[in-house]
Amino acid sequence: SYPGPLAVDLQKIFPKIAALAGLRKDKRVPKGWISFNRRKDTGTGDQQYELVISKGNARESRKTKAPKGLAFEGENQHESVEEPLFQISNGIEIRGLHDLFCVVEGLLRTL
């Protein structure tokens, strides 16, 4: 039998991400969200990464004929109205959720 999961308080481990999500208050970190995309380059086959840490409000989605609640509703709904806090497309390699959170936490600590 496997041991049960450990009780971990992610707000303590990643306090800046918690502030970005609005779960904590932080004078330097505004509310916002994280967008991460990983694609294969069709020419070279290499992995291409794009990480965007946005703040403020998202763009209002266009009206579509898609049924409510589907992923297609609101194309580009994660586009920020304001300039992003960070936008990185080269020089990072994210292999999992832990890597992603560590990179984002580190960037937010520089604010």
Side-chain angles (χ1 to χ4, degrees):
S1 132
Y2 291 104
L6 297 174
V8 176
D9 187 355
L10 293 177
Q11 292 184 41
K12 288 183 180 174
I13 297 172
F14 301 111
K16 301 297 184 180
I17 294 175
L20 185 73
L23 301 174
R24 287 185 151 204
K25 296 226 183 258
D26 189 291
K27 292 178 183 177
R28 294 191 174 137
V29 179
K31 285 186 183 178
W33 65 94
I34 303 164
S35 298
F36 176 72
N37 291 304
R38 180 175 59 187
R39 295 184 188 93
K40 251 188 191 178
D41 186 303
T42 53
T44 64
D46 294 338
Q47 292 284 339
Q48 299 292 321
Y49 300 91
E50 181 184 37
L51 172 63
V52 180
I53 304 173
S54 300
K55 64 177 180 174
N57 296 312
R59 295 188 190 277
E60 204 166 304
S61 60
R62 298 181 331 200
K63 300 292 181 195
T64 67
K65 294 181 180 178
K68 294 279 184 210
L70 294 180
F72 298 107
E73 181 183 7
E75 183 181 6
N76 298 324
Q77 67 183 345
H78 296 105
E79 298 282 328
S80 180
V81 172
E82 303 174 40
E83 287 293 314
L85 292 169
F86 297 96
Q87 186 167 4
I88 302 169
S89 56
N90 291 322
I92 59 169
E93 185 173 336
I94 305 291
R95 294 185 178 204
L97 193 56
H98 183 262
D99 287 352
L100 176 64
F101 277 28
C102 288
V103 168
V104 171
E105 182 73 18
L107 289 169
L108 292 173
R109 288 176 185 231
T110 66
L111 295 176

